[in-house]
Amino acid sequence: MSNQELSFGDEEFIVSKTDLSGKITYGNALFIKMSGYEEKELLHQPHNILRHEEMPAIVFKLLWSRIKEGKEIFAYVKNKTKNGDFYWVFAHVTPSFDTNRKISNYHSVRRKPTQNALNIIKPLYTALLQKEKNGGIAASEAALNQILKDKGLSYDEFILSI
């Protein structure tokens, strides 16, 4: 495990698609490169193959809840590569719909987050993880909701403001 932070260009986009159960069905060249996996190792695997252990579960609970309702979500995510390196992304995750307006798959476009955003997100995620370790996902969710309430912002307003 090397645990080195990787980066990508400000004008580059990481793109992937998953089926309804979260299994990868497509990844662009940058997605594959950043992951450290070969394309054949990624396809049909759960997207959480890239989940970094320093990501609070509440972020994924919120993400899955939102996209299963047919809504988009923006989130900052720390991903882990095959060899243990990591990289941060600012993700825009959306459901895709078939001709009957039923959700057919999920699509994510990720760009490089700003350093200012990471300066806010990193300590927030550390605090949420601590709550999660001590009181489970419910404690982490309560902490996030309290922070948002104190700021007078919805989750979307907060994420898009940083």
Side-chain angles (χ1 to χ4, degrees):
M1 289 282 216
S2 76
N3 199 32
Q4 296 296 309
E5 183 167 4
L6 305 178
S7 188
F8 56 99
D10 291 341
E11 302 304 317
E12 293 183 289
F13 294 93
I14 296 173
V15 179
S16 64
K17 290 183 182 182
T18 69
D19 65 15
L20 296 179
S21 66
K23 291 194 175 135
I24 299 166
T25 58
Y26 167 80
N28 72 348
L30 185 57
F31 174 78
I32 295 163
K33 175 185 164 195
M34 293 298 293
S35 77
Y37 290 92
E38 298 292 324
E39 183 177 31
K40 66 180 183 274
E41 293 177 290
L42 285 171
L43 290 179
H44 313 294
Q45 293 300 313
H47 207 288
N48 67 7
I49 193 172
L50 302 174
R51 182 173 178 180
H52 197 284
E53 57 276 0
E54 294 175 1
M55 274 300 299
I58 185 58
V59 175
F60 295 111
K61 179 183 177 191
L62 188 58
L63 185 149
W64 280 104
S65 169
R66 191 76 67 87
I67 61 176
K68 284 180 177 181
E69 292 173 356
K71 300 174 186 170
E72 69 181 351
I73 189 167
F74 290 89
Y76 289 92
V77 178
K78 185 177 187 179
N79 285 324
K80 184 167 68 174
T81 68
K82 182 178 181 178
N83 74 349
D85 291 339
F86 66 94
Y87 58 98
W88 283 93
V89 297
F90 181 51
H92 179 214
V93 186
T94 59
S96 298
F97 300 92
D98 65 18
T99 54
N100 297 318
R101 293 291 299 158
K102 286 190 66 169
I103 299 172
S104 57
N105 60 61
Y106 302 112
H107 182 258
S108 180
V109 177
R110 293 164 311 275
R111 66 183 327 147
K112 183 178 174 181
T114 66
Q115 191 56 54
N116 180 57
L118 291 179
N119 291 343
I120 295 166
I121 288 296
K122 287 177 182 180
L124 171 64
Y125 283 9
T126 298
L128 293 176
L129 268 176
Q130 192 60 45
K131 293 287 187 184
E132 189 177 307
K133 285 178 184 164
N134 295 328
I137 193 168
S140 181
E141 185 172 24
L144 177 59
N145 288 337
Q146 188 60 54
I147 290 165
L148 295 172
K149 183 179 177 187
D150 292 347
K151 292 181 177 300
L153 298 172
S154 70
Y155 171 83
D156 294 324
E157 290 168 332
F158 170 66
I159 292 297
L160 294 174
S161 74
I162 57 177

